[in-house]
Amino acid sequence: MKRSPELRTRIPAAFAIALLVGTGNACAYTATPLGAALTPDAMAQSLVSPGSGIVINSASYRGANGASGVFTGGNAIFGIDSGLVLTSGSARDFGDVENGVAGEPLLKPLTTGATGDASVLIIRFTPQGDQIQFSYVFASREYPEFVDSEFNDVFGFFVNGSNRALIPGSSQPVAINNINCGNTTGAGAQPFCNLFIDNRDGSRGLPAEALGGWTRVFNLTAPVNPGVENELMLAIADVADNQLDSAALIASGSFSICGGEGQPSCETGGGEPGIAVALPLASPAQAGLMGALLAAVAAWRLRRRSV
C-alpha cells in the first residue's frame, strides 16, 4: 500500500518549522554525513578505541551518502553521546527523506515486505578474542502510527552472515512490530514495551515528526573467529515504501572484544535506559505554535492511509 504523496511535502515543511520554533539551538544532536571529509573507513574506525582488541582492515558502503555518517550530542536523547549513524533517509534530519536507492536482499527475511532506501556498511576486521560486543539504539519515524502494519522498517547487524541485532533475552530481531508500546489507539503493543522510549508526544528531546520512538540502549554480543578476518555488515532499510525513515545509532568506542582473560566482560542482554530529556521551548507563545503545528500534522497522518 502506497502512502499519500502529500506527506512528502507537508510533513518535512511542518517538521522544519517545528524544529525552528520549538527547540531553537537546544537540540545538540549533530551529524556529519559521508562525503569528501568522511569515508567509510573513518566511520568504521569511530567504533573502536585503543585497547579494543579489534583491528579494522577495510570498510565499504552502499547507499545514499547523506543517509549515514557520524554524530555527536546524542546523549540527552538516545543515551549514546557519539558514534556512527545509519538511516533510510537523512543522517542530519530524521523524518521523511526518499533517497531513491535500492533495498537490501539480506534484510528481507527479517521483515514482511520489499525493502528500499537501504544503507549498508560492511566492515572487515580482525579480533584478538573470540567474542565481540558494541552498544546501539534503533529508532524510527514509523512509531507509533504504523506499529503492527506492513511498514515494518528493518535493520540487521550481521556478524559473519548471522543477524545478531536481537531483542535482549529473545531470539526475535529488533524491529518496529516486535518492540513498541502500541500504535496511536494502543493496539499492537508488544511484550517489550519496557525496552522502548515512546516519543509520540515529542517530549524526549526531538519532535515526534523526527522520530516517534526508539529502543533503549542495547548491547550486541557475537562469537567471532580470533586472529583472522571477520565481517560485520550493518544494514537498514525502509519497508513497503520509501517514506518515514528509520535509524540505527552505534556508540563510538564500544566495538571491542570481550569475555576472555584480561578482557572486559561481555554485557549480556541490554535495555539500558536512554537519558532522554525534554528540551524546553523558548516561550509559551512558541510552545503554543509548535503544539498547533504538530496537531495539524497529526491530522494529516491519520488521513493519509485513506488517500
Side-chain angles (χ1 to χ4, degrees), residues 229-264:
E229 188 169 84
N230 292 249
E231 181 184 273
L232 171 62
M233 174 178 164
L234 311 171
I236 191 166
D238 286 329
V239 172
D241 66 11
N242 290 343
Q243 294 177 244
L244 300 188
D245 307 317
S246 296
L249 304 96
I250 305 173
S252 61
S254 67
F255 187 23
S256 66
I257 58 173
C258 63
E261 184 177 354
Q263 300 171 9

Coordinates of all heavy atoms in Angstrom, one line a residue, residues 229-264:
E229 N 40.4 -12.6 9.7 CA 39.5 -11.5 9.3 C 38.1 -12.0 9.4 O 37.7 -13.1 9.0 CB 39.8 -11.1 7.8 CG 38.9 -9.9 7.4 CD 39.4 -9.3 6.1 OE1 39.0 -9.8 5.0 OE2 40.2 -8.3 6.1
N230 N 37.2 -11.2 10.0 CA 35.8 -11.5 10.1 C 35.0 -10.3 9.4 O 35.6 -9.3 9.0 CB 35.4 -11.5 11.6 CG 35.9 -12.7 12.3 OD1 35.2 -13.6 12.7 ND2 37.2 -12.7 12.6
E231 N 33.7 -10.5 9.3 CA 32.9 -9.5 8.6 C 31.7 -9.0 9.5 O 31.0 -9.9 10.0 CB 32.4 -10.0 7.2 CG 31.5 -8.9 6.5 CD 30.9 -9.5 5.2 OE1 31.6 -9.4 4.2 OE2 29.8 -10.0 5.3
L232 N 31.6 -7.7 9.6 CA 30.4 -7.1 10.2 C 29.7 -6.3 9.2 O 30.2 -5.4 8.6 CB 30.8 -6.2 11.4 CG 29.7 -5.4 12.0 CD1 28.6 -6.2 12.6 CD2 30.3 -4.4 13.1
M233 N 28.4 -6.7 8.9 CA 27.6 -5.9 8.0 C 26.5 -5.2 8.7 O 25.7 -5.9 9.4 CB 27.0 -6.9 6.9 CG 26.1 -6.2 6.0 SD 25.5 -7.3 4.7 CE 24.0 -6.5 4.0
L234 N 26.4 -3.9 8.7 CA 25.4 -3.1 9.3 C 24.5 -2.6 8.2 O 24.9 -1.9 7.2 CB 26.0 -1.9 10.0 CG 27.2 -2.2 10.9 CD1 27.9 -0.9 11.4 CD2 26.8 -3.0 12.1
A235 N 23.2 -2.9 8.3 CA 22.2 -2.6 7.2 C 20.9 -2.1 7.8 O 20.4 -2.6 8.8 CB 22.0 -3.8 6.3
I236 N 20.3 -1.1 7.1 CA 19.0 -0.6 7.5 C 18.2 -0.3 6.2 O 18.8 0.1 5.2 CB 19.1 0.6 8.5 CG1 17.7 0.9 9.1 CG2 19.7 1.8 7.8 CD1 17.8 1.9 10.2
A237 N 16.9 -0.4 6.2 CA 16.1 -0.1 5.0 C 14.7 0.3 5.4 O 14.1 -0.2 6.4 CB 16.1 -1.2 4.1
D238 N 14.0 1.0 4.6 CA 12.6 1.2 4.6 C 11.9 -0.1 4.1 O 12.5 -0.8 3.3 CB 12.1 2.4 3.7 CG 12.4 3.7 4.3 OD1 12.4 3.9 5.5 OD2 12.7 4.7 3.5
V239 N 10.7 -0.3 4.5 CA 9.9 -1.4 4.1 C 8.5 -1.0 3.6 O 7.9 -0.1 4.2 CB 9.7 -2.5 5.2 CG1 8.7 -3.6 4.8 CG2 11.0 -3.0 5.6
A240 N 8.1 -1.6 2.4 CA 6.8 -1.4 1.8 C 6.7 0.0 1.0 O 6.0 0.1 0.1 CB 5.7 -1.5 2.8
D241 N 7.4 1.0 1.5 CA 7.6 2.2 0.7 C 8.8 2.9 1.2 O 9.5 2.4 2.1 CB 6.4 3.1 0.8 CG 6.1 3.7 2.2 OD1 7.0 3.6 3.0 OD2 5.0 4.3 2.4
N242 N 9.2 4.0 0.6 CA 10.5 4.7 1.0 C 10.2 5.9 1.9 O 11.0 6.8 2.0 CB 11.3 5.1 -0.2 CG 11.9 3.9 -1.0 OD1 12.0 2.9 -0.4 ND2 12.3 4.1 -2.2
Q243 N 9.0 6.0 2.4 CA 8.6 7.1 3.3 C 8.8 6.8 4.8 O 8.9 5.6 5.2 CB 7.1 7.5 3.1 CG 6.9 8.0 1.7 CD 5.4 8.3 1.5 OE1 4.7 7.7 0.6 NE2 4.9 9.2 2.2
L244 N 8.9 7.8 5.6 CA 9.1 7.7 7.0 C 10.2 6.8 7.4 O 10.2 5.6 7.3 CB 7.8 7.2 7.7 CG 6.6 8.1 7.5 CD1 5.4 7.7 8.3 CD2 6.8 9.6 7.7
D245 N 11.3 7.4 7.8 CA 12.6 6.8 7.9 C 12.9 6.2 9.3 O 12.3 6.5 10.3 CB 13.7 7.8 7.5 CG 13.4 8.4 6.2 OD1 13.0 7.7 5.2 OD2 13.6 9.6 6.0
S246 N 13.9 5.3 9.3 CA 14.4 4.7 10.5 C 15.9 4.9 10.6 O 16.6 5.2 9.6 CB 14.1 3.2 10.5 OG 12.7 3.0 10.5
A247 N 16.5 4.7 11.8 CA 17.9 4.9 12.1 C 18.4 3.9 13.0 O 17.7 3.5 13.9 CB 18.1 6.4 12.6
A248 N 19.7 3.6 12.9 CA 20.4 2.8 13.8 C 21.7 3.6 14.2 O 22.4 4.1 13.4 CB 20.8 1.5 13.2
L249 N 21.9 3.7 15.5 CA 23.0 4.5 16.1 C 23.9 3.6 16.9 O 23.4 2.9 17.8 CB 22.5 5.7 16.9 CG 21.5 6.7 16.2 CD1 20.1 6.3 16.5 CD2 21.8 8.1 16.6
I250 N 25.2 3.6 16.7 CA 26.1 2.7 17.4 C 27.1 3.6 18.1 O 27.7 4.5 17.5 CB 26.8 1.8 16.4 CG1 25.8 1.0 15.6 CG2 27.7 0.8 17.1 CD1 26.4 0.1 14.5
A251 N 27.3 3.3 19.4 CA 28.2 4.1 20.2 C 29.6 4.0 19.8 O 30.2 2.9 19.6 CB 28.0 3.7 21.7
S252 N 30.3 5.2 19.7 CA 31.7 5.2 19.4 C 32.5 4.5 20.5 O 32.2 4.6 21.7 CB 32.2 6.7 19.2 OG 32.0 7.4 20.4
G253 N 33.5 3.8 20.1 CA 34.4 3.2 21.1 C 33.9 1.9 21.7 O 34.5 1.3 22.6
S254 N 32.6 1.5 21.4 CA 32.0 0.4 22.1 C 32.3 -0.9 21.4 O 32.0 -2.0 21.9 CB 30.5 0.6 22.2 OG 29.9 0.6 20.9
F255 N 32.8 -0.9 20.2 CA 33.1 -2.1 19.4 C 34.5 -2.7 19.9 O 35.5 -2.2 19.7 CB 33.2 -1.8 17.9 CG 33.4 -3.0 17.0 CD1 33.0 -4.2 17.4 CD2 33.9 -2.8 15.7 CE1 33.1 -5.3 16.5 CE2 34.1 -3.8 14.9 CZ 33.7 -5.1 15.2
S256 N 34.4 -3.9 20.7 CA 35.5 -4.4 21.3 C 35.4 -5.9 21.5 O 34.3 -6.5 21.4 CB 35.7 -3.8 22.7 OG 34.7 -4.1 23.6
I257 N 36.5 -6.6 21.8 CA 36.4 -8.0 22.2 C 36.0 -8.1 23.6 O 36.1 -7.1 24.4 CB 37.8 -8.7 22.0 CG1 38.9 -8.0 22.8 CG2 38.1 -8.7 20.5 CD1 40.2 -8.8 22.7
C258 N 35.5 -9.2 24.0 CA 35.0 -9.3 25.4 C 35.0 -10.8 25.9 O 35.1 -11.7 25.0 CB 33.6 -8.8 25.6 SG 32.4 -9.6 24.6
G259 N 35.0 -11.0 27.2 CA 34.8 -12.3 27.7 C 36.0 -13.2 28.0 O 35.9 -14.2 28.7
G260 N 37.1 -12.8 27.4 CA 38.3 -13.6 27.6 C 39.2 -13.1 28.8 O 38.9 -12.1 29.4
E261 N 40.2 -13.9 29.0 CA 41.1 -13.5 30.1 C 41.7 -12.1 29.9 O 42.3 -11.8 28.8 CB 42.2 -14.5 30.3 CG 43.2 -14.3 31.4 CD 44.2 -15.4 31.6 OE1 44.1 -16.4 30.9 OE2 45.1 -15.2 32.5
G262 N 41.6 -11.2 30.8 CA 42.2 -9.9 30.7 C 41.3 -9.0 29.8 O 41.7 -7.8 29.5
Q263 N 40.1 -9.5 29.4 CA 39.2 -8.7 28.6 C 38.0 -8.2 29.4 O 37.7 -8.8 30.4 CB 38.7 -9.5 27.4 CG 39.9 -10.0 26.5 CD 39.3 -11.0 25.5 OE1 38.1 -11.2 25.3 NE2 40.3 -11.6 24.8
P264 N 37.4 -7.1 29.0 CA 36.1 -6.7 29.7 C 35.1 -7.8 29.5 O 35.1 -8.6 28.6 CB 35.7 -5.5 29.0 CG 36.4 -5.5 27.6 CD 37.7 -6.2 27.8

